[in-house]
Every structure is written in C-alpha cells, then in structure tokens.
Amino acid sequence: MQSFDEKVALVTGAGRGIGKAVALSLAKLGCRVVLAARTAAQLSEVQQEIQRAGGVAIAIPTDLMRDEDIDTLVRESQREFGAVDILINNAGWGKRASVVRAKIEDLDQTLRVNLRAPMILAQKVLPAMIAKGEGAVINISSVSGKSGEADGAAYSASKFGLIGFTESLYEEVREQGIKVAVILPGFVDTPMIPPVKHLDRSKMIQANDVAQAVLYILNTPATSCPVEITIRPQRTPIR
C-alpha cells in the first residue's frame, strides 16, 4: 500500500453512493479530501463522518452544469489544500427517454455533467500534476458506455464518450507519470437506481466495491496503469 498522507483528492458526486464511498476510503488512507456535489446537507454529513474518524475534508457545494461553480471548486480546493493530486470524476446524471421524446435540456444536462465537466476539471488540475510528474485522474463510467439500450441514448453516449476521453487523456499524459483510468460498473446499489421489484439489491454491486477498484488503481506500481476496469455483479440481480 502506497502512502497517501497529505495527498489532495477531489471527488465529485461525493454526497452519496459511489462518491461517498470513494471519499471515505481515500480519507482513511490519509488523503485530504475535497467533497463536491450539489446538495450541501449531504456533503456536510460526509465531511463530518470523515472528521469524526480523524480525517481531513472540506465540502464545496457545486453544480457541474455551471462553469463558475467548477472554477470556484478548483480555486477553493487549491486555496485550502494546494494542488489536486487525485481527481475522481464520479458525478453522474441521467433521465430515461426515447430520442424522439427526450427534452433538449435533459440531453444537455446529461452530456454536461457526465462528460463535459470531467473534461474541464481534468484540464484545470492537470498542469500541476504534470509539473509534479505524478497524479491520477479516475473517471467513473458505466457498462452503458459499452452497450447502448433503448431510452438511454444520451446516458450511453455520455458514458461512451467518457471512456474515449479516458483513453485519449491517458495517451497524452502517460509519459508524465500520471495514471488515467476509467471504471465501468454494472448495477450498483445506489440511490440512482430506484427500488424495483425485478432487482434483488442484495446481489447488486456495492458502492464500496467501486471504491476498492479506485484504490487498486492508485496502488498500482509506477510501471503500470489499469486503464479500464469493468465491474459486474457476481450473481445476476435480475429476478
């Protein structure tokens, strides 16, 4: 296990689900964690949980649809902790609808949150990583980024795009010692998937399973980088 003491980790979508699990795991390793999400109350709860365990975290309410919020997030992170060492692009959004019936504003929000925001955040934090000769950008995509389905065109397109962005960025910065990876979970037991009768949630991937994949990437030796990891439920949760 590598030492992460004093490393600065920025996690989007950190108020619940996968983002919360990742933030808690990184804090336990000694990272100073920047928590970003839209809901201030949820962020505060995660921040307090980290602090009660002896960790260090700040909460910055952020709407990734707003460029000024992204600017503030990076600026406040740097002011409080210094340059970001680890960027976890986890925040995601989606609304099921056919292409014919989808609202333009929903298409825009899906692409801006799931793809555009991760690209802008990476652009803003990478110069400091390049200067240090180390760092990590880990994007949370989905198995929907490998296979489209009806009524999920925008979501799948955003997740396909996030995989392509990851692959391209890896080629751009691999020689600078920066790890770039994407994780593709299947069904994860998070609030993003509402309760439905045909899903057995006890068989779904747990948020902490994805957090463990993040730690695996960060702990790989400097000579290797697991650029893409797919996580599937061991047993099918579909009844």
Side-chain angles (χ1 to χ4, degrees), residues 8 16 41-42 45 50-51 53 77 90 98 100 103 112 130 155 185 187:
V8 179
R16 61 181 187 169
Q42 291 179 341
E45 290 177 3
I50 289 173
Q51 292 173 338
S77 299
N90 164 74
S98 68
V100 172
K103 297 179 180 179
R112 288 176 71 93
I130 292 171
Y155 185 78
F187 284 114

Side-chain angles (χ1 to χ4, degrees), residues 40-196:
Q42 291 179 341
L43 288 182
S44 179
E45 290 177 3
V46 179
Q47 181 185 21
Q48 291 175 33
E49 186 171 347
I50 289 173
Q51 292 173 338
R52 284 195 299 269
V56 179
I58 58 170
I60 304 177
T62 305
D63 183 351
L64 294 176
M65 288 281 289
R66 296 167 53 88
D67 287 352
E68 53 268 39
D69 277 24
I70 295 176
D71 290 340
T72 298
L73 172 61
V74 175
R75 183 175 63 252
E76 290 301 307
S77 299
Q78 294 172 341
R79 185 182 65 82
E80 188 73 22
F81 291 150
V84 173
D85 300 293
I86 300 166
L87 171 63
I88 310 294
N89 283 312
N90 164 74
W93 192 88
K95 190 172 184 179
R96 297 188 65 81
S98 68
V99 172
V100 172
R101 295 182 178 275
K103 297 179 180 179
I104 297 299
E105 55 265 34
D106 290 340
L107 299 179
D108 286 343
Q109 183 167 351
T110 302
L111 292 171
R112 288 176 71 93
V113 172
N114 297 358
L115 181 57
R116 184 177 183 272
M119 295 177 74
I120 293 175
L121 281 168
Q123 184 182 58
K124 290 182 177 296
V125 303
L126 274 168
M129 293 184 188
I130 292 171
K132 289 182 179 181
E134 63 177 10
V137 176
I138 301 177
N139 300 316
I140 309 300
S141 182
S142 165
V143 293
S144 295
K146 288 288 189 178
S147 177
E149 61 177 340
D151 299 333
Y155 185 78
S156 285
S158 69
K159 295 302 187 177
F160 267 85
L162 192 57
I163 295 169
F165 169 61
T166 302
E167 293 175 354
S168 295
L169 183 59
Y170 169 69
E171 295 297 341
E172 290 183 14
V173 300
R174 60 188 298 188
E175 298 299 333
Q176 281 73 45
I178 299 166
K179 294 187 184 299
V180 183
V182 62
I183 299 174
L184 287 62
F187 284 114
V188 183
D189 184 12
T190 71
M192 192 170 182
I193 299 180
V196 288

